[in-house]
Amino acid sequence: MKRYYDLWLARIKSLLKATQGRPVALAVLFALSLLNLASEWPSNLARPAFVTTLEQTLPDSFKSARQLLFDQYQRHYPRMPGAQPVTIVEIDEETLASVGQWPWPRNRLAGLIDAIAAHKPLAIGLDIYMPEPDQTSPDMVAGNLPETATALAAALRALPSHDTILARSLHAAPTILGAAALDHAAFATSIDLRSAPILLHGADPLPRVPRYDYVLASLPQLQAAAHGQAMLSVALEQGVVRHIPLIMGLRDTLVPSLPMEMLRVATGSAALDVSTNGSGVQTVGVADVQVPTQPGGDIWLHFASIRSTLGRYVSAREVLDGKVDEDRIRDKLVLVGLTGAGVTDMRTTPLGELVPGIEIQAQVIETIVEGRFLLRPTWLKWTESGFIMGVGLLLIWYVPRRQSRLVGMIGAVPKAVTVLGLCLHLLNLLCCFYIFIRFGLLVDAAAIFIILSAVMGCFLSPALLHLQEQTRLEAALTQAPSADQDGAGKAPGT
């Protein structure tokens, strides 16, 4: 076994020494660049079969490093909220302890909406699904009464159902109902949603946006009463929410997300505008607001720390008791959702914080209103790839030249080259971080670091091997005279 190991090691050494390591460096540069491109293939290009195979063979090769880097950008420079256009009316543990466990009878939820609407919000978005009739409605209770209670049953059936009461409240206020996007059929799912129209400017974006076959929506009676319908979906990558779709596909129909639909209702617009080109979705707009998106119709969200947004939360109990400050709701975009333990969905942000799902919807609205977007356009990926190839080819041409100063430095002080490389990579990281802060662009410094480090490694290895052999030779030459002297100093016959 050792013999084969020594043989392979000798071959690798000879390969690295061949033409000063240029062939190996070229192979490494092109292979890693292709792998990096495959991990984030530009949407305006048809994906070749070998790229798909490469991505499946080596999944998350560069994607994980890229995501962790972008998370670090945000952790070191989180968004600081300016204005606070959103108020979250939370059905928290205090409210549940006072009013009753969830789910509430729909007439009680109607009372909460009426109480919010009394303070004149711009829009009310409900992160609540109601796909089944309320079983506590008078007519439902009447159906469970014994036959001897005929008069009581008739009196109960004469009363409006709780769904009817809620529908009236939804119609009287600028409300938007959320619906859950699903890939599979389940109990109470449907295949359509009464959403507002979306006006297209360009090619059909359906092939590029997230598409779902089913939706868990509220009852048709409630959908008809509300002023808007929206799909709720977040893209999870390794359990972290990094970007949010602004539009999605429900089978062959485009539907809006909750933040965009709330802005549409708040501005009194009849439809959303979606602009596309060959790369995919470019902007999603409503009224005079145009949101630049990724080709898939989503945005990278620049998160604010939950510690800086706690002021937007109002307990539903305070609203029901009439103790809320009117300025907390008037002319605000109000989100209603569950935050009580055991009844809410918690999500992890790039900041490492666990927040209620409704907080993410609030941050999307806040980001759009402030106009502070994170962008990773298609051209940026090409720019990164061009930079990596250009610098990589320059290194391959310059470093192995015997008269180059870098080769002399490697031979003289190997550790200095390591320090120089670290300094250059630190400069690369700082430049990318500055671009993030200044322009909101997500530059992949991780791929630049990994690929160019691998290219430099192809030259450092043969240089270090040569240095090691030279050191051994000098040691052997140093030991040889001392051996001769020892032999000459001995007396004959000893």
Side-chain angles (χ1 to χ4, degrees):
M1 180 64 74
K2 187 177 184 301
R3 178 184 174 186
Y4 287 108
Y5 172 78
D6 293 339
L7 181 62
W8 276 106
L9 186 61
R11 288 181 178 179
I12 293 173
K13 288 181 178 180
S14 62
L15 184 62
L16 287 172
K17 291 179 181 179
T19 61
Q20 294 81 44
R22 280 194 174 106
V24 176
L26 274 172
V28 167
L29 175 63
F30 281 98
L32 291 182
S33 296
L34 180 60
L35 192 60
N36 177 40
L37 200 60
S39 70
E40 196 180 22
W41 191 258
S43 59
N44 59 336
L45 289 182
R47 181 186 287 263
F50 76 91
V51 171
T52 303
T53 304
L54 185 64
E55 189 177 7
Q56 292 173 348
T57 305
L58 298 170
D60 296 335
S61 50
F62 281 88
K63 188 176 181 180
S64 296
R66 183 187 309 123
Q67 290 172 344
L68 291 174
L69 173 69
F70 293 165
D71 291 351
Q72 290 302 315
Y73 285 170
Q74 297 208 40
R75 293 189 182 192
H76 287 85
Y77 188 73
R79 182 175 58 83
M80 296 302 297
Q84 201 169 80
V86 182
T87 293
I88 295 177
V89 175
E90 55 174 339
I91 303 174
D92 54 3
E93 294 182 33
E94 180 184 352
T95 304
L96 295 174
S98 174
V99 178
Q101 66 181 12
W102 189 263
W104 289 348
R106 304 268 164 83
N107 61 333
R108 191 170 298 166
L109 182 59
L112 176 60
I113 294 172
D114 293 340
I116 296 171
H119 297 294
K120 306 298 182 183
L122 294 176
I124 305 172
L126 279 76
D127 186 9
I128 298 170
Y129 320 130
M130 296 168 282
E132 303 172 41
D134 188 347
Q135 298 299 312
T136 65
S137 287
D139 56 333
M140 294 292 186
V141 174
N144 292 323
L145 292 176
E147 295 180 359
T148 55
T150 305
L152 178 58
L156 288 173
R157 289 191 177 96
L159 296 174
S161 70
H162 291 170
D163 292 317
T164 300
I165 295 173
L166 178 57
R168 291 173 185 168
S169 297
L170 292 172
H171 183 69
T175 53
I176 300 96
L177 290 176
L182 297 175
D183 289 319
H184 56 277
F187 182 71
T189 56
S190 59
I191 60 173
D192 58 359
L193 193 67
R194 296 190 181 189
S195 59
I198 293 179
L199 303 179
L200 292 179
H201 306 277
D204 184 4
L206 270 173
R208 303 197 186 276
V209 302
R211 295 180 69 178
Y212 302 92
D213 292 325
Y214 301 94
V215 64
L216 185 64
S218 296
L219 294 169
Q221 177 187 8
L222 302 179
Q223 289 190 52
H227 293 251
Q229 311 291 324
M231 286 250 276
L232 294 167
S233 176
V234 294
L236 290 177
E237 296 172 315
Q238 298 176 335
V240 179
V241 178
R242 295 184 175 92
H243 45 93
I244 306 292
L246 298 186
I247 56 170
M248 289 157 275
L250 180 57
R251 302 216 168 190
D252 295 326
T253 305
L254 283 176
V255 293
S257 65
L258 182 60
M260 294 307 300
E261 184 68 352
M262 288 185 68
L263 291 171
R264 184 192 69 80
V265 172
T267 57
S269 303
L272 296 179
D273 294 289
V274 175
S275 299
T276 65
N277 62 12
S279 299
V281 181
Q282 296 299 298
T283 61
V284 177
V286 59
D288 59 348
V289 177
Q290 295 294 321
V291 183
T293 69
Q294 297 300 116
D298 58 309
I299 60 171
W300 285 86
L301 194 56
H302 193 179
F303 280 90
S305 172
I306 187 68
R307 294 186 296 273
S308 65
T309 65
L310 290 176
R312 70 161 115 252
Y313 286 83
V314 174
S315 174
R317 181 184 177 183
E318 294 181 28
V319 178
L320 289 170
D321 292 344
K323 297 179 180 179
V324 66
D325 184 354
E326 187 173 298
D327 292 337
R328 302 289 300 277
I329 295 179
R330 181 178 292 275
D331 296 330
K332 299 281 189 180
L333 296 161
V334 177
L335 287 164
V336 181
L338 297 156
T339 61
V343 293
T344 185
D345 59 328
M346 303 297 289
R347 305 291 187 182
T348 303
T349 72
L351 304 183
E353 299 175 335
L354 199 62
V355 303
I358 199 167
E359 168 68 20
I360 293 174
Q361 304 297 330
Q363 295 223 18
V364 175
I365 297 173
E366 200 169 61
T367 297
I368 293 172
V369 171
E370 293 180 356
R372 296 166 62 186
F373 308 109
L374 294 184
L375 299 172
R376 183 159 174 78
T378 303
W379 62 262
L380 184 58
K381 185 65 180 180
W382 288 115
T383 302
E384 291 170 359
S385 299
F387 176 80
I388 291 171
M389 291 298 297
V391 175
L393 291 173
L394 180 63
L395 291 174
I396 292 170
W397 169 77
Y398 175 75
V399 172
R401 298 172 68 216
R402 297 189 180 278
Q403 67 271 28
S404 71
R405 295 181 180 179
L406 189 58
V407 170
M409 186 185 300
I410 293 174
V413 190
K415 291 183 179 180
V417 180
T418 303
V419 174
L420 177 63
L422 290 175
C423 290
L424 290 176
H425 285 308
L426 179 60
L427 179 63
N428 161 51
L429 181 60
L430 291 175
C431 288
C432 293
F433 186 54
Y434 172 77
I435 293 172
F436 169 80
I437 295 174
R438 182 68 178 81
F439 303 103
L441 291 174
L442 295 166
V443 184
D444 187 6
I448 298 173
F449 169 80
I450 293 171
I451 296 175
L452 295 184
S453 294
V455 171
M456 279 300 298
C458 295
F459 299 124
L460 286 175
S461 298
L464 292 175
L465 288 172
H466 176 71
L467 183 64
Q468 186 181 23
E469 291 177 357
Q470 191 175 16
T471 303
R472 287 178 179 175
L473 181 60
E474 290 176 356
L477 292 175
T478 303
Q479 292 174 0
S482 62
D484 293 340
Q485 291 172 5
D486 291 343
K490 292 180 180 180
T494 58

